[in-house]
């Protein structure tokens, strides 16, 4: 989309970008924002949108990305450096800080940006500056070259320091000389222009053994070079000049090195600035509730809850659209009612969207594709301009008619103003009709009734008005789509204190036909306001009903959960009683006489059938509970390799490794479990892999013996033989650690498993599972 400098000034676009500037952390971000141009085409715009969405996703998953965005730009220094051939130590220090910030971004984003292609492409714009950073390490934080920058510089500075030390020693001897000391203005050694000097009183200037150099600022004393320090001073000047020459040689070499990477450094500046701007956008989206608009290739826009950026919190949100069902929108209403602000809001937000920036609006905002924005906004409310003349209006509109296309967005303020009302209105209608036939998306504001009537009676043209509170005699700044507005000039004049007799004369001179149209518009506005109020009440009621529905569903789910919990506990107790009864019956039968034993067996068989029926009922209830948990899962589950899932009714969370024949083979902590796909539900919990200690001398295992066994939901009589057999086979198969999945429940199976482990001689130890291993629902068994 094309946005000329003139249109940008009319819309005051740079001022509207102030919210972004307030969030930026450095000059590089501001340079990027100031140089930002609308995307050339829709594909380019989608790339900008993708980059911003990826950044939001990255910060969602990895937190705020910290980097040094406050580094200063350095590329502006390169032009002078090319002419002079040298950068100062302070300038090279700025280069080093910039390159170091770029290096940190490149390295810190290297791992996490792999799944964010747009961010990774941006990151890759930063080249490797390791050699340059190594070379610039000779610059101290003060901008001074370090002594170790070269061996020659080190030797020279050592010699200079020795000379200074000798000079201070000689000066001390002079201070100790009483005759010399009496001649001095002050007993201190001065360093001026690279020489050691003493401040001598004026009256002793001819007696002091040395040369006068310059008079002090007071004029009462003279700086003199003692003869004893003359040789040292001469050597200091020579060595200092040699030091400066060596420093220049080093700085020249460093400058050549930096200038050879000019393009790469300029790219690094752009990348750092872009990341700074992304952080500013992120801040506005999260804290100010700005939105990334939906983008479409169609030629229309829809603004929902849009606010003018310059008005900030004072802005009244508006809903406006054009181009989808109609190509022309005529906005009417009172003076100072917000018509021009509405026009500018549309132009500014569409421009910001094509810059790739978030908007001060709500979800549902859609921005379409336009080739260029044209505007004739030169009204009283422009911050930068004075009243526009009719001729200037005509000049702008003629330019628009000559250059606009069916893909253009056109903003016309006070259409038909500045000339005879009848001729101006006729010309305004003709302009709108021409643009409508062309297919351009046009927004226009007006006070002329013929233009309002045109908007009401013409297909493809919609009307809207700025709401006006008749009782308070002031605008509300709400945009009412589909309703024409009245200018309310007399009401506003009354509000500002216009004399009553003037208002009566004006009212009497109004054309009767126009008065009727205005009255109809006023009535329509009142009805629309009533309908809007009723709609708001309806929406509030609907929201309350939805909240009540959610609360009801939540409470029903909680009741079902508690009921299942109680029933499950009861079933566990019943299973326990049944198991105990079976064991007791068997023991009693064993101790009976043969005759009585037969009779007891018959009775036991009858009771066993009854108990089997009871077990069947309990198992069905358990099955229903599992099915209910699957049905009540908050989100649908699509099993796939690598997906985290929960086994319904167990609380065990694992990662699916393989899907075969309707079963999932999962890893849950140290366990390998296979379960039917139908028993898996979605979960937000993370599967933690906690590998238990392994005896590396016994890694050889038999593939036919799995590392875990699941007996959850089984009765003690069914489960324990399986567990004992499994442990025996696992031990013989050289497993060092295995897992028994018995479930939580009432702990009956858990206690039986622990009792069995304590009896087996080859079991070294056993414990309940830890976090990520299944918790109290599993027992980890370690063999000797």
């Amino acid at each position: 989309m094309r946005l000329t400098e003139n249109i940008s000034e009319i819309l005051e676009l740079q001022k509207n970008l102030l919210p972004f500037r307030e969030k930026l952390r450095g000059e590089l971000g501001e340079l990027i924002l100031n140089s930002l141009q609308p995307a050339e085409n829709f594909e380019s715009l989608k790339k900008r949108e993708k980059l911003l969405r990826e950044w939001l996703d990255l910060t969602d998953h990895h937190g705020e990305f910290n980097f040094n965005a406050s580094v200063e730009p350095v590329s502006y220094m390169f032009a002078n450096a090319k002419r002079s051939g040298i950068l100062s130590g302070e300038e090279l220090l700025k280069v080093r800080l910039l390159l170091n910030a770029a290096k940190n971004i490149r390295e810190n984003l290297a791992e996490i940006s792999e799944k964010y292609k747009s961010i990774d492409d941006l990151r890759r714009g930063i080249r490797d500056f390791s050699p340059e950073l190594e070379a610039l390490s000779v610059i101290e934080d003060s901008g001074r070259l370090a002594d170790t920058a070269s061996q020659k510089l080190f030797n020279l500075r050592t010699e200079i320091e020795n000379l200074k030390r000798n000079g201070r020693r000689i000066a001390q001897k002079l201070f100790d000389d009483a005759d010399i000391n009496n001649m001095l203005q002050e007993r201190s050694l001065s360093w001026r222009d690279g020489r050691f000097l003493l401040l001598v009183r004026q009256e002793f200037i001819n007696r002091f053994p040395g040369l006068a150099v310059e008079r002090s600022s007071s004029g009462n004393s003279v700086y003199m070079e003692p003869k004893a320090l003359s040789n040292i001073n001469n050597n200091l000047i020579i060595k200092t000049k040699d030091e400066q020459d060596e420093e220049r040689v080093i700085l020249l070499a460093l400058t050549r090195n930096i200038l050879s990477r000019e393009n790469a450094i300029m790219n690094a500046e752009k990348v750092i600035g872009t990341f700074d701007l992304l952080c500013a956008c992120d801040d506005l989206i999260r804290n100010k509730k700005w939105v990334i608009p939906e983008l479409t290739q169609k030629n229309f826009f829809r603004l929902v809850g849009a606010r003018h950026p310059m008005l900030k919190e004072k802005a009244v949100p508006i809903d406006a659209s054009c181009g989808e069902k109609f190509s022309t929108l005529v906005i009417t209403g009172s003076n100072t009612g917000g018509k021009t602000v509405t026009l500018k809001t549309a132009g500014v937000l569409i421009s910001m969207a094509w810059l790739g920036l978030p908007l001060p609006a709500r979800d549902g905002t859609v921005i379409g594709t336009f080739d260029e924005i044209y505007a004739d906004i030169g009204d009283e409310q422009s911050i930068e301009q004075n009243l526009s003349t009719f001729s200037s209006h005509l000049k702008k509109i003629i330019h628009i008619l000559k250059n606009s296309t069916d893909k253009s967005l056109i903003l016309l303020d006070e259409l038909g103003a500045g000339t005879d009302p009848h001729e101006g209105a006729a010309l305004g209608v003709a302009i709108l009709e021409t643009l409508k036939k062309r297919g351009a998306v046009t927004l226009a504001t007006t006070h002329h009734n013929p233009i309002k009537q045109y908007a009401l009676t013409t297909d493809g043209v919609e009307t809207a008005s700025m709401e006006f509170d008749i009782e308070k005699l002031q605008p509300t700044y709400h945009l009412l789509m589909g309703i024409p507005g009245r200018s309310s000039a007399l009401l506003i004049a009354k509000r500002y204190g216009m004399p009553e007799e003037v208002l009566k004369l004006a009212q009497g001179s109004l054309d009767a036909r126009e008065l009727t149209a205005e009255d109809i518009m006023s009535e329509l506005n009142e009805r629309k306001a009533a309908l809007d109020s009723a709609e708001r009440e309806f929406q509030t009621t609907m929201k309350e009903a939805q909240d009540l529905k959610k609360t009801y569903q939540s409470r029903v789910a909680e009741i079902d959960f508690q009921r299942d919990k109680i029933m499950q506990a009861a079933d566990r107790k019943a299973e326990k009683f049944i198991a105990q009864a079976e064991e007791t019956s068997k023991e009693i039968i064993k101790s009976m006489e043969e005759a009585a034993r037969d009779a007891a067996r018959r009775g036991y068989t009858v009771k066993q059938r009854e108990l089997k029926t009871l077990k069947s009922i309990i198992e069905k209830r358990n099955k229903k509970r599992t099915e209910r948990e699957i049905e009540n899962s908050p989100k649908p589950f699509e099993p796939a390799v690598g997906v985290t899932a929960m086994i319904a009714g167990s609380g065990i969370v694992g990662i699916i490794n393989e899907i075969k024949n309707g079963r999932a083979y999962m890893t849950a902590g140290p366990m390998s479990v296979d379960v039917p796909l139908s028993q898996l539900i979605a979960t937000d919990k993370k599967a933690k892999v906690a590998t238990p200690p392994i005896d590396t001398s016994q890694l050889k295992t038999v593939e036919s013996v799995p590392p875990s066994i699941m007996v959850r939901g089984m009765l003690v009589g069914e489960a324990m033989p399986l567990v004992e057999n499994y442990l025996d086979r696992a031990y013989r198969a050289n497993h060092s650690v295995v897992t028994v999945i018995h479930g939580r429940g009432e702990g009956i199976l858990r206690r039986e498993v622990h009792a069995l482990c304590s009896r087996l001689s080859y079991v070294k130890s056993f414990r309940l599972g830890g976090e990520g291993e299944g918790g109290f629902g599993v027992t980890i068994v370690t063999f000797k």
Side-chain angles (χ1 to χ4, degrees):
M1 185 182 79
R2 185 167 178 264
L3 187 67
T4 65
E5 185 177 346
N6 178 52
I7 298 302
S8 180
E9 290 177 358
I10 289 173
L11 297 176
E12 300 174 298
L13 185 58
Q14 288 302 316
K15 291 183 179 180
N16 282 286
L17 297 181
L18 181 61
F20 295 94
R21 290 191 178 88
E22 292 174 343
K23 301 296 182 182
L24 292 171
R25 293 180 281 182
E27 292 182 48
L28 293 174
E30 189 160 354
L31 287 174
I32 291 295
L33 182 63
N34 292 340
S35 64
L36 207 56
Q37 294 295 320
E40 294 182 0
N41 49 52
F42 187 75
E43 290 72 21
S44 178
L45 179 60
K46 288 294 288 184
K47 287 181 180 178
R48 296 187 187 186
E49 179 201 26
K50 183 181 178 184
L51 176 65
L52 181 52
R53 291 192 183 278
E54 283 189 4
W55 182 257
L56 292 174
D57 189 56
L58 183 146
T59 53
D60 277 340
H61 288 84
H62 300 279
E64 183 180 357
F65 181 67
N66 294 314
F67 63 97
N68 184 12
S70 62
V71 290
E72 299 179 38
V74 298
S75 55
Y76 73 92
M77 302 185 300
F78 294 162
N80 288 332
K82 288 177 182 177
R83 288 192 294 269
S84 65
I86 191 168
L87 289 167
S88 68
E90 290 78 8
E91 290 172 331
L92 288 169
L93 175 63
K94 292 180 181 180
V95 175
R96 191 188 76 190
L97 293 174
L98 174 80
L99 298 187
N100 195 55
K103 173 177 175 287
N104 290 336
I105 291 175
R106 187 173 187 267
E107 292 177 352
N108 294 340
L109 280 177
E111 295 182 4
I112 61 176
S113 66
E114 289 182 357
K115 66 175 183 177
Y116 303 105
K117 186 178 184 304
S118 299
I119 292 175
D120 196 50
D121 289 344
L122 181 63
R123 181 193 70 84
R124 291 177 184 275
I126 299 176
R127 303 303 180 188
D128 182 15
F129 293 111
S130 298
E132 288 72 25
L133 284 169
E134 178 67 25
L136 291 173
S137 64
V138 299
I139 305 290
E140 295 178 346
D141 291 343
S142 61
R144 177 179 179 269
L145 277 172
D147 295 346
T148 55
S150 74
Q151 186 61 47
K152 184 177 180 181
L153 183 63
F154 178 81
N155 294 337
L156 285 168
R157 286 183 176 175
T158 302
E159 291 178 26
I160 290 171
E161 190 57 39
N162 290 334
L163 286 170
K164 288 180 178 179
R165 192 178 297 110
N166 291 335
R168 285 190 288 268
R169 188 166 53 249
I170 293 171
Q172 185 61 47
K173 290 181 179 179
L174 293 174
F175 294 148
D176 294 338
D177 187 322
D179 293 335
I180 297 294
N181 195 40
N182 289 332
M183 301 180 192
L184 300 178
Q185 181 70 32
E186 56 185 42
R187 196 171 183 272
S188 62
L189 185 64
S190 300
W191 177 260
R192 299 177 72 84
D193 297 329
R195 306 176 76 89
F196 285 125
L197 304 176
L198 295 178
L199 191 60
V200 180
R201 287 190 287 181
Q202 178 70 34
E203 60 268 28
F204 295 111
I205 186 171
N206 293 322
R207 294 174 54 189
F208 185 82
L211 297 174
V213 177
E214 61 177 305
R215 191 176 297 279
S216 69
S217 57
S218 66
N220 297 325
S221 52
V222 177
Y223 286 104
M224 300 187 69
E225 181 185 68
K227 289 182 180 179
L229 290 173
S230 179
N231 287 336
I232 287 179
N233 280 338
N234 291 337
N235 286 329
L236 277 173
I237 289 173
I238 294 170
K239 293 299 180 182
T240 300
K241 181 64 170 62
D242 291 343
E243 177 194 22
Q244 292 170 351
D245 291 343
E246 179 61 16
E247 286 178 346
R248 181 174 177 80
V249 169
I250 296 170
L251 292 175
L252 283 169
L254 290 174
T255 302
R256 285 194 298 271
N257 188 7
I258 294 303
L259 290 178
S260 69
R261 302 296 306 278
E262 179 181 3
N263 291 334
I265 293 172
M266 292 174 68
N267 286 337
E269 284 186 339
K270 291 177 183 177
V271 173
I272 295 173
T274 301
F275 278 122
D276 191 12
L277 182 56
L278 287 172
C279 289
C281 293
D282 190 324
D283 193 314
L284 289 169
I285 291 170
R286 296 184 191 281
N287 298 321
K288 297 294 184 181
K289 307 304 179 187
W290 288 28
V291 299
I292 302 175
E294 179 185 340
L295 302 175
T296 177
Q297 289 184 290
K298 296 180 180 178
N299 191 32
F300 81 95
F301 72 87
R302 185 192 310 128
L303 302 179
V304 180
R307 305 181 302 280
H308 195 283
M310 286 176 64
L311 297 178
K312 298 183 178 179
E313 285 73 19
K314 296 185 295 183
V316 176
I318 61 169
D319 295 345
S321 63
C322 191
E324 192 172 14
K325 297 179 181 178
F326 47 87
S327 63
T328 304
L329 178 65
V330 177
I331 304 172
T332 59
S334 64
N335 289 306
T336 72
K339 300 189 302 297
T340 303
V341 172
T342 298
L343 215 61
K344 287 186 175 182
T345 299
V348 167
L349 265 62
I350 291 170
S351 300
M352 286 171 57
W354 273 82
L355 292 176
L357 301 173
L359 308 180
R362 294 201 303 268
D363 290 333
T365 296
V366 182
I367 301 298
T369 302
F370 302 97
D371 59 5
E372 188 169 351
I373 296 179
Y374 296 90
D376 175 23
I377 305 175
D379 65 320
E380 302 90 343
Q381 298 176 39
S382 173
I383 296 172
E384 300 294 336
Q385 301 177 16
N386 294 319
L387 285 170
S388 300
T389 62
F390 180 63
S391 59
S392 68
H393 276 296
L394 282 180
K395 186 178 179 180
K396 293 175 184 177
I397 291 173
I398 290 170
H399 171 78
I400 292 170
L401 292 173
K402 283 183 178 179
N403 295 282
S404 62
T405 70
D406 60 340
K407 297 292 185 183
S408 299
L409 173 67
I410 301 169
L411 308 174
L412 303 174
D413 193 30
E414 299 294 349
L415 186 62
T419 186
D420 176 78
H422 295 290
E423 292 184 0
L427 186 60
V429 169
I431 291 168
L432 291 178
E433 182 65 19
T434 301
L435 294 173
K436 181 177 78 71
K437 288 181 178 178
R438 185 171 297 175
V441 174
T442 306
L443 278 72
T445 69
T446 187
H447 286 287
H448 293 311
N449 277 338
I451 298 179
K452 298 177 189 177
Q453 292 166 5
Y454 165 80
L456 283 168
T457 58
T458 307
D459 290 338
V461 182
E462 183 60 280
T463 183
S465 63
M466 305 309 298
E467 187 180 41
F468 188 85
D469 191 326
I470 299 296
E471 294 181 0
K472 296 181 179 179
L473 295 180
Q474 64 183 25
T476 66
Y477 305 108
H478 288 114
L479 181 67
L480 305 176
M481 292 292 293
I483 300 294
R486 60 188 301 177
S487 297
S488 304
L490 299 184
L491 294 173
I492 293 173
K494 181 178 180 180
R495 179 190 174 199
Y496 282 99
M498 181 68 70
E500 191 65 31
E501 59 272 19
V502 175
L503 293 173
K504 286 182 180 179
L505 286 173
Q507 187 70 37
S509 64
L510 280 174
D511 180 78
R513 183 175 58 82
E514 288 191 355
L515 178 62
T516 302
E518 288 282 285
D519 288 342
I520 292 172
M521 293 174 189
S522 176
E523 184 178 350
L524 284 171
N525 275 333
E526 291 173 6
R527 291 185 179 183
K528 178 67 166 57
L531 286 172
D532 286 345
S533 176
E535 184 180 2
R536 284 193 292 271
E537 290 179 6
F538 173 73
Q539 293 295 339
T540 301
T541 304
M542 281 292 296
K543 187 176 184 305
E544 290 175 354
Q546 289 172 351
D547 291 342
L548 286 172
K549 182 180 178 182
K550 289 180 181 177
T551 302
Y552 168 76
Q553 290 175 337
S554 176
R555 289 181 179 176
V556 168
E558 179 64 23
I559 291 170
D560 286 343
F561 174 75
Q562 294 296 339
R563 182 189 62 196
D564 286 347
K565 199 171 179 182
I566 294 169
M567 291 297 295
Q568 190 174 27
D571 287 346
R572 295 292 187 190
K573 288 181 180 179
E575 287 180 340
K576 180 181 177 182
F577 292 146
I578 291 170
Q580 290 175 346
E582 286 181 329
E583 294 298 325
T584 304
S585 299
K586 288 178 182 177
E587 293 297 327
I588 293 172
I589 290 172
K590 286 179 182 178
S591 64
M592 297 176 82
E593 296 293 336
E594 187 66 32
R597 190 181 301 166
D598 291 338
R601 280 203 186 98
R602 286 192 295 272
Y604 172 73
T605 302
V606 173
K607 292 298 181 182
Q608 195 173 36
R609 280 196 291 267
E610 294 175 0
L611 291 174
K612 192 173 288 186
T613 302
L614 182 57
K615 288 179 186 177
S616 177
I617 294 171
I618 292 172
E619 288 174 359
K620 287 178 180 179
R621 277 207 293 262
N622 286 334
K623 185 178 179 182
K624 285 183 178 179
R625 277 194 293 272
T626 301
E627 290 173 352
R628 193 183 300 113
E629 185 173 352
I630 294 171
E631 291 174 3
N632 293 334
S633 178
K635 52 186 177 181
F637 178 67
E638 296 182 4
V641 174
V643 171
T644 301
M646 178 186 286
I647 302 173
S650 72
I652 295 175
V653 178
I655 299 174
I656 299 176
N657 297 324
E658 184 182 4
I659 297 175
K660 188 176 180 181
N661 299 327
R663 298 183 71 84
Y665 296 84
M666 305 172 62
T667 299
M671 301 181 294
S672 295
V673 186
D674 69 287
V675 293
L677 290 175
S678 59
Q679 291 188 13
L680 297 180
I681 59 175
T683 180
D684 292 327
K685 296 180 180 178
K686 294 183 179 180
K688 296 184 179 179
V689 179
T691 306
I694 298 176
D695 185 354
T696 55
S697 65
Q698 299 191 15
L699 288 176
K700 187 176 181 181
T701 61
V702 178
E703 293 294 329
S704 60
V705 181
S708 65
I709 181 173
M710 178 182 282
V711 293
R712 181 177 58 81
M714 294 184 183
L715 298 175
V716 172
E718 296 173 311
M720 295 315 298
L722 295 176
V723 173
E724 186 171 3
N725 179 264
Y726 168 76
L727 292 176
D728 182 61
R729 290 189 299 115
Y731 175 68
R732 287 186 281 106
N734 289 332
H735 277 291
S736 59
V737 178
V738 294
T739 302
V740 179
I741 308 169
H742 44 63
R744 298 173 185 252
E746 293 296 316
I748 299 171
L749 270 180
R750 182 179 71 238
R751 288 192 293 271
E752 292 294 332
V753 169
H754 288 187
L756 174 64
C757 290
S758 64
R759 293 196 304 268
L760 296 176
S761 59
Y762 51 79
V763 172
K764 180 181 179 181
S765 64
F766 58 92
R767 60 177 176 83
L768 290 173
E771 186 178 356
E773 296 177 320
F776 291 169
V778 304
T779 293
I780 310 297
V781 181
T782 303
F783 296 124
K784 293 181 179 178

